[in-house]
Amino acid sequence: MLVLEVKPGSPAEKAGLQEGDVIVEIDGAKVRGLGDVTEKIGLEPERTFQVKVIREGEGKQMVMGVTSVADERGE
């Protein structure tokens, strides 16, 4: 899945994701599209995920922590 935008302060930015990255795996599970990403993260909020991306032709591993929207707003 191609990353089109990374919002400032988001879990994606904190993990090091950049526009143009291609997410290929989350916790070892292949990612074919946005549905795979939202399903994986939506089923297990409030945890950390191992994310594999392709950036400029090279594979990179990163860790992304996900929080609820309320937590990000300080609620």
Side-chain angles (χ1 to χ4, degrees), residues 43-62:
L43 290 175
E44 302 179 75
E46 304 293 330
R47 68 166 282 234
T48 301
F49 297 89
Q50 296 289 323
V51 179
K52 181 177 180 183
V53 303
I54 303 296
R55 179 182 297 156
E56 298 177 359
E58 295 186 25
K60 297 197 177 288
Q61 291 280 109
M62 49 192 65

Side-chain angles (χ1 to χ4, degrees), residues 11-72:
E13 181 190 53
K14 291 174 185 172
L17 282 172
Q18 298 177 6
E19 292 177 15
D21 285 349
V22 178
I23 300 172
V24 294
E25 290 181 8
I26 297 177
D27 285 346
K30 299 282 185 206
V31 171
R32 295 176 298 278
L34 180 59
D36 292 338
V37 174
T38 56
E39 179 179 317
K40 180 70 175 172
I41 292 172
L43 290 175
E44 302 179 75
E46 304 293 330
R47 68 166 282 234
T48 301
F49 297 89
Q50 296 289 323
V51 179
K52 181 177 180 183
V53 303
I54 303 296
R55 179 182 297 156
E56 298 177 359
E58 295 186 25
K60 297 197 177 288
Q61 291 280 109
M62 49 192 65
V63 177
M64 183 169 69
V66 178
T67 60
S68 70
V69 174
D71 285 345
E72 289 182 15

